[in-house]
Amino acid sequence: MATVILRPDATISQTGWNTDPFPVAADNNPSTSATQNNINCNWTGRLTDLDSGLSGATINSFTISAQAKAGRAGACNAVLSLIHDSDGAFAAETEAWSGSITTQTTTARTTQQDGSSALTYAYINDCSVKIDPNTQGIQLYELYITVDYTAAPTYGNIVNGVAAANIGKVNGVATADISKVNGV
């Protein structure tokens, strides 16, 4: 199984930070940070889309990770959640930080917000990520989603002069379901 990391590409909403967390959370640079400066604090960032080459992949799971450290109190908690455009917030999990910079990661989720539907390429592409720290203060360095996927099977041979990349079905059978063509 392979993974891909999705980072925020814009701020949807934010309150209680000394600077907009978007550039910090998305820059993959642990030397930049945003600091909570208000009791009421949260940030929601729109995620980059999965690469279109993964449109046929099986999405196995995702996790949410935040690299941070506690602020003035020396310990803090924050709720990390994924928010789907139409289903709302889900996969909310509280993580804890101390005075050292560490990365906390949520439990892997394998279903959509309803708890039973499989994750899909389109579903993940309609999500954003949110961090909602408690009142103790936090310094945020990174916030991202890791998507675990299995690439779509490919058919690697030319059939009747048609390149494998252009074969969607052979005699009505989807390419992904073809293990042998004419006993080959």
Side-chain angles (χ1 to χ4, degrees):
M1 290 184 242
T3 60
V4 64
I5 292 177
L6 301 179
R7 295 186 179 278
D9 65 6
T11 291
I12 294 173
S13 67
Q14 64 120 352
T15 188
W17 298 92
N18 69 330
T19 187
D20 182 354
F22 158 62
V24 168
D27 68 3
N28 195 20
N29 180 355
S31 65
T32 60
S33 65
T35 302
Q36 179 179 352
N37 66 2
N38 194 311
I39 291 172
N40 296 315
C41 181
N42 62 67
W43 177 66
T44 303
R46 185 183 70 203
L47 289 172
T48 57
D49 284 343
L50 288 165
D51 182 273
S52 62
L54 298 177
S55 63
T58 299
I59 306 300
N60 303 311
S61 66
F62 70 87
T63 57
I64 307 166
S65 298
Q67 184 181 52
K69 73 176 183 176
R72 68 192 177 289
C76 70
N77 295 324
V79 176
L80 305 177
S81 52
L82 207 63
I83 302 172
H84 185 263
D85 287 351
S86 61
D87 291 342
F90 75 108
E93 190 172 303
T94 301
E95 300 298 332
W97 287 268
S98 65
S100 300
I101 299 171
T102 58
T103 301
Q104 302 300 327
T105 301
T106 63
T107 305
R109 301 294 175 122
T110 59
T111 60
Q112 295 180 20
Q113 191 267 357
D114 65 11
S116 61
S117 299
L119 294 168
T120 65
Y121 167 85
Y123 193 85
I124 293 294
N125 281 349
D126 287 339
C127 289
S128 55
V129 64
K130 182 177 183 179
I131 184 168
D132 190 358
N134 66 8
T135 61
Q136 295 173 298
I138 193 169
Q139 191 166 357
L140 177 67
Y141 295 86
E142 301 290 327
L143 182 63
Y144 55 92
I145 305 298
T146 303
V147 177
D148 181 286
Y149 67 93
T150 303
T154 59
Y155 187 72
N157 297 308
I158 294 175
V159 176
N160 289 336
V162 179
N166 298 325
I167 298 173
K169 291 184 177 182
V170 175
N171 290 339
V173 179
T175 306
D177 298 328
I178 297 173
S179 61
K180 292 184 178 182
V181 175
N182 291 333
V184 177

